[in-house]
Amino acid sequence: MEGTVFTPALQEIEHVKSDQGEILSKPFLDACKHILPVIDKFGAAMALVKSDIGGNISRLETMYSSNPTRFNYLYSLVQVEVETKTAKSSSSCTNGLLWLTRAMDFLVALFRNLIEHEDWPMSQACTDSYNKTLKKWHGWLASSSFTVVMKLAPDRKKFMDVIGGTGNISADIEKFCTTFSPLLEENHKFLVRTNISWIVFMLKNERKMTLI
């Protein structure tokens, strides 16, 4: 491949913000979508993570596509549900954005571990990232399931070779984490301002997915 597997996501991130500094729906969702091929390289260990991220992207994309002009800005997808009092639904875009953001938090933490702890095996990098991000939102069953699937994590060196392509993989991972993390932080701050995080937290036990 030309560049690394992160190249498409990095290119998309450049277009995520409007001239006014607001996060645009389509570029943000496309940037998340471009990370799915990276998750693919983890194989079975990340199959459910990929499925859940992909499902939340599709949910948000469906709402966006229903009226691209109205939902040009990412947070408009949530605001309309707050206004119509549908944000509490487990199938809402509000729920989708929160869990998509949390899942991307996990991946960013994992990618950072891969470049900051070169001596760690893949399973340790994954487990540490999970403990720092998603674990606090999960019950015992989901946490136990994660521990089991991490045994399927690929060999670290082989994984890095596969995603490296012809580019500088360490530099691209660092750039992705540096540029994407602030977007996730903006999402969290917005959800807190709209008092959404605690509402969706109450719904976490109703989620059907095993891991996220």
Side-chain angles (χ1 to χ4, degrees):
M1 72 181 80
E2 184 176 351
T4 72
V5 73
F6 283 89
T7 300
L10 290 173
Q11 293 172 341
E12 196 65 52
I13 290 173
E14 295 178 1
H15 307 290
V16 165
K17 290 290 192 74
S18 69
D19 291 339
Q20 293 72 39
E22 297 180 81
I23 298 178
L24 299 169
S25 298
K26 190 175 188 304
F28 176 82
L29 295 175
D30 284 347
C32 292
K33 193 183 299 183
H34 284 313
I35 293 301
L36 295 179
V38 183
I39 305 176
D40 268 337
K41 306 305 180 184
F42 281 92
M46 292 288 182
L48 288 174
V49 174
K50 179 189 175 185
S51 176
D52 201 60
I53 289 176
N56 285 321
I57 291 173
S58 295
R59 183 188 308 183
L60 294 161
E61 280 185 329
T62 297
M63 177 70 87
Y64 165 78
S65 298
S66 69
N67 194 329
T69 301
R70 180 183 184 186
F71 299 122
N72 186 41
Y73 299 112
L74 184 65
Y75 300 154
S76 63
L77 298 169
V78 172
Q79 289 165 335
V80 68
E81 293 182 339
V82 173
E83 293 168 2
T84 58
K85 302 186 186 305
T86 57
K88 292 183 181 181
S89 170
S90 60
S91 61
S92 69
C93 284
T94 301
N95 194 15
L97 179 60
L98 178 60
W99 283 100
L100 175 60
T101 300
R102 287 174 175 173
M104 296 305 293
D105 281 337
F106 161 68
L107 291 178
V108 168
L110 171 55
F111 298 149
R112 284 195 185 282
N113 278 344
L114 291 178
I115 60 175
E116 293 178 0
H117 302 283
E118 297 183 0
D119 57 325
W120 284 9
M122 183 65 80
S123 59
Q124 183 177 356
C126 291
T127 299
D128 178 80
S129 304
Y130 176 75
N131 290 340
K132 290 177 179 176
T133 57
L134 289 171
K135 186 175 182 178
K136 60 187 174 184
W137 307 113
H138 287 170
W140 177 84
L141 181 59
S143 296
S144 298
S145 298
F146 186 89
T147 299
V148 172
V149 298
M150 278 307 98
K151 295 179 180 179
L152 302 174
D155 176 79
R156 178 197 177 100
K157 184 179 185 305
K158 291 181 180 178
F159 174 80
M160 297 297 283
D161 288 343
V162 168
I163 67 174
T166 60
N168 184 331
I169 186 59
S170 294
D172 276 7
I173 290 177
E174 177 63 32
K175 185 176 181 181
F176 175 78
C177 293
T178 300
T179 56
F180 199 70
S181 291
L183 301 176
L184 299 178
E185 185 60 30
E186 280 193 50
N187 288 354
H188 285 300
K189 289 180 179 179
F190 167 75
L191 292 169
V192 169
R193 286 199 306 271
T194 51
N195 292 319
I196 295 301
S197 289
W198 71 269
I199 293 174
V200 184
F201 174 75
M202 296 298 292
L203 296 171
K204 76 183 183 72
N205 291 326
E206 298 178 15
R207 290 175 59 77
K208 305 302 182 182
M209 297 302 297
T210 303
L211 290 181
I212 298 180

Coordinates of all heavy atoms in Angstrom, one line a residue, residues 61-137:
E61 N -24.6 7.8 10.2 CA -24.6 8.1 8.8 C -26.0 8.1 8.3 O -26.4 8.9 7.4 CB -23.8 7.1 8.0 CG -22.3 7.3 8.1 CD -21.5 6.4 7.2 OE1 -22.0 5.2 7.0 OE2 -20.5 6.8 6.6
T62 N -26.8 7.2 8.7 CA -28.2 7.1 8.3 C -29.0 8.4 8.6 O -29.7 8.9 7.8 CB -28.9 5.9 8.9 OG1 -28.3 4.7 8.5 CG2 -30.4 5.8 8.5
M63 N -28.8 8.9 9.8 CA -29.4 10.1 10.2 C -28.9 11.3 9.4 O -29.7 12.1 8.9 CB -29.2 10.4 11.7 CG -29.8 11.7 12.2 SD -31.6 11.8 12.2 CE -31.9 11.1 13.9
Y64 N -27.6 11.3 9.2 CA -27.0 12.4 8.5 C -27.5 12.4 7.0 O -27.9 13.5 6.5 CB -25.5 12.2 8.4 CG -24.8 13.1 7.4 CD1 -24.6 14.4 7.5 CD2 -24.4 12.5 6.2 CE1 -24.0 15.2 6.5 CE2 -23.8 13.2 5.2 CZ -23.6 14.6 5.4 OH -23.0 15.4 4.4
S65 N -27.6 11.2 6.4 CA -28.0 11.1 5.0 C -29.5 11.5 4.8 O -29.9 11.8 3.7 CB -27.8 9.7 4.5 OG -26.4 9.3 4.5
S66 N -30.3 11.4 5.9 CA -31.7 11.8 5.8 C -31.9 13.3 5.5 O -32.9 13.7 4.9 CB -32.4 11.4 7.0 OG -32.1 12.2 8.1
N67 N -30.9 14.1 5.9 CA -30.9 15.5 5.6 C -29.5 16.1 5.8 O -29.2 16.7 6.9 CB -31.9 16.2 6.6 CG -32.2 17.6 6.1 OD1 -31.4 18.3 5.6 ND2 -33.5 18.1 6.5
P68 N -28.6 15.9 4.8 CA -27.2 16.4 5.0 C -27.1 17.9 5.3 O -26.1 18.2 6.0 CB -26.6 16.1 3.6 CG -27.5 15.0 3.1 CD -28.9 15.3 3.6
T69 N -28.0 18.7 4.9 CA -27.8 20.1 5.2 C -28.2 20.4 6.6 O -27.4 21.1 7.3 CB -28.8 20.9 4.3 OG1 -28.5 20.7 2.9 CG2 -28.7 22.4 4.6
R70 N -29.2 19.8 7.1 CA -29.6 20.0 8.5 C -28.6 19.4 9.5 O -28.4 19.9 10.5 CB -31.0 19.3 8.7 CG -31.5 19.5 10.2 CD -32.8 18.8 10.4 NE -33.4 19.0 11.7 CZ -34.5 18.4 12.1 NH1 -35.2 17.5 11.3 NH2 -34.9 18.7 13.4
F71 N -28.1 18.2 9.1 CA -27.1 17.5 10.0 C -25.7 17.6 9.5 O -24.9 16.7 9.7 CB -27.6 16.0 10.1 CG -28.9 15.8 10.6 CD1 -29.9 15.2 9.9 CD2 -29.3 16.3 11.9 CE1 -31.2 15.0 10.4 CE2 -30.6 16.2 12.4 CZ -31.5 15.5 11.7
N72 N -25.3 18.8 8.9 CA -24.0 19.0 8.5 C -23.0 18.9 9.6 O -21.9 18.5 9.5 CB -23.9 20.3 7.7 CG -22.5 20.6 7.1 OD1 -21.9 19.7 6.5 ND2 -22.0 21.8 7.2
Y73 N -23.4 19.5 10.8 CA -22.5 19.5 11.9 C -22.9 18.3 12.8 O -24.0 18.0 13.1 CB -22.7 20.8 12.7 CG -22.3 22.0 11.9 CD1 -23.3 22.9 11.5 CD2 -21.0 22.2 11.5 CE1 -23.0 24.0 10.7 CE2 -20.7 23.3 10.7 CZ -21.7 24.2 10.3 OH -21.3 25.3 9.6
L74 N -21.8 17.6 13.3 CA -22.0 16.4 14.1 C -22.9 16.5 15.3 O -23.8 15.6 15.5 CB -20.6 15.9 14.6 CG -20.5 14.6 15.3 CD1 -20.9 13.4 14.3 CD2 -19.1 14.3 15.9
Y75 N -22.8 17.6 16.0 CA -23.6 17.7 17.2 C -25.1 17.9 17.0 O -26.0 17.8 17.8 CB -23.1 18.7 18.2 CG -21.6 18.4 18.6 CD1 -20.8 19.4 19.0 CD2 -21.2 17.1 18.6 CE1 -19.5 19.1 19.3 CE2 -19.9 16.8 18.9 CZ -19.0 17.8 19.3 OH -17.7 17.5 19.7
S76 N -25.4 18.3 15.7 CA -26.9 18.5 15.4 C -27.6 17.2 15.4 O -28.8 17.1 15.6 CB -27.0 19.1 14.0 OG -26.4 18.3 13.0
L77 N -26.9 16.1 15.2 CA -27.5 14.7 15.3 C -28.0 14.4 16.7 O -29.0 13.7 16.9 CB -26.5 13.7 14.9 CG -25.9 13.8 13.4 CD1 -24.8 12.8 13.3 CD2 -27.0 13.4 12.4
V78 N -27.3 15.0 17.7 CA -27.7 14.8 19.1 C -28.7 15.9 19.5 O -29.7 15.5 20.2 CB -26.5 14.9 20.0 CG1 -26.9 15.0 21.5 CG2 -25.5 13.8 19.7
Q79 N -28.5 17.1 19.1 CA -29.4 18.2 19.5 C -30.8 17.9 19.1 O -31.8 18.2 19.9 CB -28.9 19.5 18.9 CG -27.6 20.0 19.6 CD -26.9 21.0 18.8 OE1 -27.0 21.2 17.6 NE2 -26.1 21.8 19.5
V80 N -31.1 17.4 17.9 CA -32.4 17.1 17.5 C -33.1 16.1 18.4 O -34.3 16.1 18.7 CB -32.5 16.7 16.0 CG1 -31.9 15.3 15.8 CG2 -33.9 16.7 15.5
E81 N -32.3 15.1 18.9 CA -32.9 14.1 19.8 C -33.1 14.6 21.2 O -34.1 14.2 21.8 CB -31.9 12.9 19.8 CG -31.8 12.1 18.5 CD -30.9 10.9 18.6 OE1 -30.1 10.9 19.5 OE2 -31.1 10.0 17.7
V82 N -32.3 15.5 21.6 CA -32.5 16.2 22.9 C -33.9 17.0 22.8 O -34.7 16.9 23.7 CB -31.4 17.1 23.3 CG1 -31.7 17.9 24.5 CG2 -30.1 16.3 23.5
E83 N -34.0 17.7 21.7 CA -35.2 18.5 21.5 C -36.5 17.7 21.4 O -37.6 18.1 21.9 CB -35.1 19.4 20.3 CG -34.0 20.4 20.4 CD -33.7 21.1 19.0 OE1 -34.3 20.7 18.0 OE2 -32.8 21.9 19.0
T84 N -36.4 16.5 20.8 CA -37.6 15.6 20.6 C -37.7 14.6 21.8 O -38.5 13.7 21.7 CB -37.5 14.9 19.3 OG1 -36.3 14.2 19.2 CG2 -37.6 15.9 18.1
K85 N -36.8 14.7 22.7 CA -36.8 13.8 23.9 C -36.6 12.3 23.5 O -37.3 11.4 24.1 CB -38.0 14.0 24.7 CG -38.2 15.4 25.2 CD -39.4 15.5 26.2 CE -39.6 17.0 26.6 NZ -38.4 17.6 27.2
T86 N -35.8 12.1 22.5 CA -35.5 10.7 22.0 C -34.1 10.3 22.3 O -33.7 9.2 21.9 CB -35.8 10.5 20.5 OG1 -35.1 11.5 19.8 CG2 -37.3 10.8 20.2
A87 N -33.3 11.1 23.0 CA -31.9 10.8 23.2 C -31.7 9.6 24.1 O -30.7 9.0 24.0 CB -31.2 12.1 23.8
K88 N -32.7 9.3 25.0 CA -32.5 8.2 25.9 C -32.6 6.8 25.3 O -32.3 5.8 25.9 CB -33.6 8.3 27.0 CG -33.4 9.5 27.9 CD -34.5 9.5 29.0 CE -34.3 10.7 30.0 NZ -35.4 10.7 31.0
S89 N -33.2 6.8 24.0 CA -33.3 5.5 23.4 C -32.0 4.8 23.2 O -31.0 5.5 22.8 CB -34.0 5.7 22.0 OG -34.0 4.5 21.3
S90 N -31.9 3.5 23.4 CA -30.7 2.8 23.2 C -30.3 2.7 21.7 O -29.1 2.5 21.4 CB -30.8 1.3 23.7 OG -31.9 0.7 23.0
S91 N -31.2 3.1 20.8 CA -30.9 3.1 19.4 C -30.7 4.5 18.8 O -30.7 4.7 17.6 CB -32.1 2.4 18.6 OG -33.3 3.0 18.8
S92 N -30.6 5.4 19.7 CA -30.5 6.8 19.3 C -29.1 7.1 18.8 O -28.1 6.4 19.0 CB -30.8 7.8 20.5 OG -29.8 7.7 21.5
C93 N -29.0 8.2 18.0 CA -27.7 8.7 17.5 C -26.9 9.2 18.7 O -25.6 9.2 18.7 CB -27.9 9.8 16.5 SG -28.4 9.2 14.9
T94 N -27.5 9.7 19.7 CA -26.9 10.2 20.9 C -26.1 9.0 21.6 O -24.9 9.1 21.9 CB -27.9 10.7 22.0 OG1 -28.6 11.8 21.4 CG2 -27.2 11.2 23.2
N95 N -26.8 7.9 21.7 CA -26.1 6.7 22.2 C -25.0 6.2 21.3 O -23.9 5.9 21.7 CB -27.2 5.6 22.4 CG -26.7 4.4 23.2 OD1 -25.7 4.5 23.9 ND2 -27.4 3.3 23.1
G96 N -25.3 6.3 20.0 CA -24.3 5.9 19.0 C -23.0 6.8 19.1 O -21.9 6.2 19.0
L97 N -23.2 8.1 19.2 CA -22.0 9.0 19.2 C -21.2 8.7 20.5 O -20.0 8.7 20.5 CB -22.4 10.4 19.2 CG -21.3 11.4 19.3 CD1 -20.3 11.3 18.1 CD2 -21.9 12.9 19.2
L98 N -21.9 8.5 21.6 CA -21.2 8.3 22.9 C -20.3 7.1 22.9 O -19.1 7.1 23.2 CB -22.2 8.2 24.1 CG -21.6 8.0 25.4 CD1 -20.6 9.1 25.8 CD2 -22.6 7.9 26.5
W99 N -20.9 6.0 22.4 CA -20.2 4.7 22.4 C -19.1 4.6 21.3 O -18.1 4.0 21.4 CB -21.2 3.5 22.3 CG -21.8 3.3 23.6 CD1 -23.0 3.6 24.0 CD2 -21.2 2.6 24.7 NE1 -23.2 3.3 25.3 CE2 -22.1 2.6 25.8 CE3 -20.0 2.0 25.0 CZ2 -21.9 2.1 27.0 CZ3 -19.7 1.5 26.2 CH2 -20.6 1.5 27.2
L100 N -19.4 5.4 20.2 CA -18.4 5.5 19.1 C -17.2 6.2 19.7 O -16.0 5.8 19.5 CB -18.9 6.2 17.9 CG -17.9 6.5 16.8 CD1 -17.3 5.2 16.2 CD2 -18.6 7.3 15.7
T101 N -17.4 7.3 20.4 CA -16.4 8.1 21.0 C -15.6 7.3 22.0 O -14.3 7.3 22.1 CB -16.9 9.4 21.7 OG1 -17.6 10.1 20.7 CG2 -15.8 10.2 22.3
R102 N -16.3 6.5 22.9 CA -15.6 5.7 23.9 C -14.7 4.6 23.2 O -13.6 4.3 23.6 CB -16.6 5.0 24.8 CG -17.3 6.0 25.8 CD -18.4 5.4 26.5 NE -18.9 6.3 27.6 CZ -20.0 6.0 28.3 NH1 -20.6 4.9 28.2 NH2 -20.4 6.9 29.2
A103 N -15.3 4.0 22.1 CA -14.5 3.0 21.4 C -13.3 3.6 20.8 O -12.2 2.9 20.8 CB -15.4 2.3 20.4
M104 N -13.4 4.8 20.2 CA -12.2 5.4 19.6 C -11.2 5.8 20.7 O -10.0 5.8 20.4 CB -12.7 6.6 18.8 CG -13.6 6.2 17.6 SD -12.8 5.0 16.4 CE -11.5 6.0 15.8
D105 N -11.7 6.2 21.9 CA -10.8 6.4 23.0 C -9.9 5.2 23.2 O -8.7 5.3 23.5 CB -11.6 6.7 24.3 CG -12.1 8.1 24.3 OD1 -11.5 9.0 23.7 OD2 -13.1 8.4 25.1
F106 N -10.5 4.0 23.2 CA -9.8 2.8 23.5 C -8.8 2.6 22.4 O -7.6 2.2 22.7 CB -10.8 1.6 23.5 CG -10.2 0.3 23.3 CD1 -9.3 -0.3 24.2 CD2 -10.4 -0.4 22.1 CE1 -8.7 -1.5 24.0 CE2 -9.9 -1.7 21.9 CZ -9.0 -2.2 22.8
L107 N -9.1 2.8 21.1 CA -8.2 2.6 20.0 C -7.0 3.6 20.1 O -5.9 3.2 19.8 CB -8.9 2.7 18.7 CG -9.9 1.5 18.4 CD1 -10.6 1.8 17.1 CD2 -9.2 0.2 18.4
V108 N -7.3 4.8 20.4 CA -6.2 5.8 20.5 C -5.3 5.4 21.6 O -4.0 5.5 21.4 CB -6.8 7.2 20.7 CG1 -5.7 8.2 21.2 CG2 -7.5 7.7 19.5
A109 N -5.8 5.0 22.7 CA -5.0 4.5 23.8 C -4.1 3.3 23.4 O -2.9 3.2 23.8 CB -5.8 4.2 25.1
L110 N -4.7 2.4 22.7 CA -4.0 1.2 22.2 C -2.9 1.6 21.3 O -1.7 1.2 21.4 CB -5.0 0.3 21.5 CG -4.4 -0.9 20.8 CD1 -3.5 -1.7 21.7 CD2 -5.5 -1.8 20.2
F111 N -3.2 2.5 20.3 CA -2.2 2.9 19.3 C -1.0 3.6 20.1 O 0.2 3.5 19.7 CB -2.8 3.9 18.3 CG -3.9 3.2 17.5 CD1 -4.9 4.0 17.0 CD2 -3.8 1.9 17.2 CE1 -5.9 3.4 16.2 CE2 -4.8 1.3 16.4 CZ -5.8 2.0 15.9
R112 N -1.3 4.4 21.1 CA -0.3 5.1 21.8 C 0.6 4.1 22.5 O 1.8 4.2 22.6 CB -0.9 6.0 22.9 CG -1.4 7.3 22.3 CD -1.6 8.3 23.4 NE -2.3 9.6 23.0 CZ -1.6 10.5 22.3 NH1 -0.3 10.4 22.1 NH2 -2.3 11.6 21.9
N113 N 0.0 3.0 23.1 CA 0.8 2.0 23.8 C 1.8 1.3 22.8 O 2.9 1.0 23.2 CB -0.1 1.0 24.4 CG -0.7 1.4 25.7 OD1 -0.2 2.3 26.4 ND2 -1.7 0.7 26.2
L114 N 1.3 1.2 21.6 CA 2.2 0.5 20.6 C 3.4 1.2 20.2 O 4.5 0.6 19.9 CB 1.4 0.2 19.3 CG 0.2 -0.8 19.4 CD1 -0.5 -1.0 18.1 CD2 0.8 -2.2 19.9
I115 N 3.4 2.6 20.3 CA 4.6 3.3 20.0 C 5.3 3.8 21.2 O 6.5 4.1 21.2 CB 4.2 4.6 19.1 CG1 3.3 5.5 19.8 CG2 3.7 4.1 17.8 CD1 3.0 6.8 19.1
E116 N 4.7 3.8 22.4 CA 5.3 4.2 23.6 C 5.9 3.1 24.4 O 6.8 3.3 25.3 CB 4.4 5.0 24.5 CG 4.0 6.4 23.8 CD 3.0 7.1 24.7 OE1 2.6 6.6 25.8 OE2 2.6 8.3 24.3
H117 N 5.4 1.9 24.2 CA 5.9 0.7 25.0 C 6.2 -0.4 24.0 O 5.5 -1.4 23.8 CB 4.8 0.2 25.9 CG 4.3 1.3 26.9 ND1 5.1 1.6 28.0 CD2 3.2 2.1 26.9 CE1 4.5 2.6 28.7 NE2 3.3 2.9 28.0
E118 N 7.4 -0.2 23.3 CA 7.8 -1.2 22.3 C 8.1 -2.6 22.8 O 8.1 -3.5 22.1 CB 9.0 -0.6 21.6 CG 8.7 0.7 20.8 CD 9.9 1.2 20.0 OE1 10.9 0.5 20.1 OE2 9.8 2.3 19.4
D119 N 8.3 -2.7 24.1 CA 8.6 -4.0 24.7 C 7.4 -4.7 25.1 O 7.5 -5.9 25.5 CB 9.5 -3.8 25.9 CG 8.9 -2.9 27.0 OD1 8.2 -1.9 26.6 OD2 9.1 -3.2 28.2
W120 N 6.2 -4.1 25.1 CA 5.0 -4.8 25.5 C 4.4 -5.7 24.4 O 4.4 -5.4 23.2 CB 3.9 -3.8 25.8 CG 4.0 -3.0 27.1 CD1 5.1 -3.1 27.9 CD2 3.1 -2.2 27.7 NE1 4.8 -2.3 29.0 CE2 3.6 -1.7 28.9 CE3 1.8 -1.7 27.3 CZ2 2.9 -0.8 29.7 CZ3 1.1 -0.8 28.1 CH2 1.7 -0.4 29.3
P121 N 4.0 -6.9 24.8 CA 3.3 -7.8 23.8 C 2.0 -7.2 23.5 O 1.4 -6.3 24.2 CB 3.2 -9.1 24.5 CG 3.2 -8.7 26.0 CD 4.1 -7.6 26.1
M122 N 1.3 -7.6 22.4 CA 0.1 -7.0 21.9 C -1.0 -7.1 23.0 O -1.8 -6.2 23.2 CB -0.4 -7.6 20.6 CG -1.7 -7.0 20.1 SD -1.4 -5.3 19.6 CE -0.6 -5.6 18.0
S123 N -1.1 -8.3 23.6 CA -2.1 -8.5 24.6 C -2.0 -7.5 25.8 O -3.0 -7.0 26.3 CB -2.0 -10.0 25.2 OG -0.8 -10.2 25.8
Q124 N -0.8 -7.2 26.2 CA -0.6 -6.2 27.3 C -1.0 -4.8 26.8 O -1.6 -4.1 27.6 CB 0.8 -6.2 27.8 CG 1.1 -5.3 28.9 CD 2.5 -5.3 29.4 OE1 3.3 -6.1 29.0 NE2 2.9 -4.5 30.4
A125 N -0.7 -4.5 25.6 CA -1.0 -3.1 25.1 C -2.5 -3.0 25.0 O -3.1 -1.9 25.4 CB -0.4 -3.0 23.7
C126 N -3.2 -4.1 24.6 CA -4.7 -4.0 24.5 C -5.3 -4.0 25.9 O -6.3 -3.2 26.1 CB -5.2 -5.3 23.8 SG -4.8 -5.3 22.0
T127 N -4.9 -4.8 26.8 CA -5.5 -4.8 28.1 C -5.3 -3.5 28.9 O -6.2 -3.0 29.5 CB -4.9 -6.0 28.9 OG1 -5.1 -7.2 28.2 CG2 -5.5 -6.1 30.3
D128 N -4.1 -3.0 28.8 CA -3.8 -1.7 29.5 C -4.8 -0.6 28.9 O -5.3 0.2 29.7 CB -2.4 -1.3 29.3 CG -2.1 0.1 29.9 OD1 -1.9 0.1 31.1 OD2 -2.0 1.1 29.2
S129 N -4.9 -0.6 27.6 CA -5.8 0.4 27.0 C -7.2 0.2 27.4 O -8.0 1.2 27.7 CB -5.7 0.3 25.4 OG -4.4 0.4 25.0
Y130 N -7.7 -1.0 27.4 CA -9.0 -1.3 27.9 C -9.3 -0.8 29.3 O -10.3 -0.2 29.6 CB -9.3 -2.8 27.7 CG -10.7 -3.2 28.2 CD1 -11.8 -3.0 27.5 CD2 -10.8 -3.9 29.5 CE1 -13.1 -3.4 28.0 CE2 -12.0 -4.3 29.9 CZ -13.2 -4.0 29.2 OH -14.4 -4.4 29.7
N131 N -8.3 -1.1 30.2 CA -8.5 -0.8 31.6 C -8.5 0.8 31.8 O -9.2 1.2 32.7 CB -7.3 -1.3 32.4 CG -7.3 -2.8 32.5 OD1 -8.4 -3.4 32.4 ND2 -6.2 -3.4 32.8
K132 N -7.9 1.5 30.9 CA -7.9 3.0 31.0 C -9.1 3.6 30.4 O -9.4 4.8 30.7 CB -6.6 3.5 30.3 CG -5.3 3.2 30.9 CD -4.2 3.8 30.1 CE -2.8 3.5 30.8 NZ -1.7 4.0 29.9
T133 N -9.8 2.9 29.5 CA -10.9 3.5 28.8 C -12.3 2.8 29.0 O -13.1 3.3 29.8 CB -10.6 3.6 27.3 OG1 -10.3 2.3 26.8 CG2 -9.4 4.5 27.1
L134 N -12.5 1.7 28.4 CA -13.8 1.1 28.3 C -14.2 0.3 29.6 O -15.4 0.2 29.9 CB -13.9 0.1 27.1 CG -13.9 0.8 25.7 CD1 -13.8 -0.3 24.7 CD2 -15.2 1.5 25.6
K135 N -13.2 -0.2 30.3 CA -13.6 -1.1 31.4 C -14.5 -0.4 32.4 O -15.4 -1.1 32.9 CB -12.3 -1.5 32.1 CG -12.5 -2.5 33.2 CD -11.3 -3.1 33.8 CE -11.5 -4.1 34.9 NZ -10.3 -4.7 35.5
K136 N -14.4 0.8 32.7 CA -15.2 1.5 33.7 C -16.7 1.6 33.3 O -17.6 1.8 34.1 CB -14.7 2.9 34.0 CG -14.7 3.8 32.8 CD -14.0 5.1 33.2 CE -13.8 6.0 31.9 NZ -13.0 7.3 32.3
W137 N -16.9 1.4 32.0 CA -18.3 1.4 31.5 C -18.9 0.0 31.4 O -20.1 -0.1 31.0 CB -18.4 2.1 30.1 CG -17.7 3.4 30.1 CD1 -16.6 3.8 29.4 CD2 -18.2 4.6 30.8 NE1 -16.3 5.1 29.7 CE2 -17.3 5.6 30.5 CE3 -19.3 4.9 31.6 CZ2 -17.4 6.9 31.0 CZ3 -19.4 6.2 32.2 CH2 -18.5 7.2 31.8

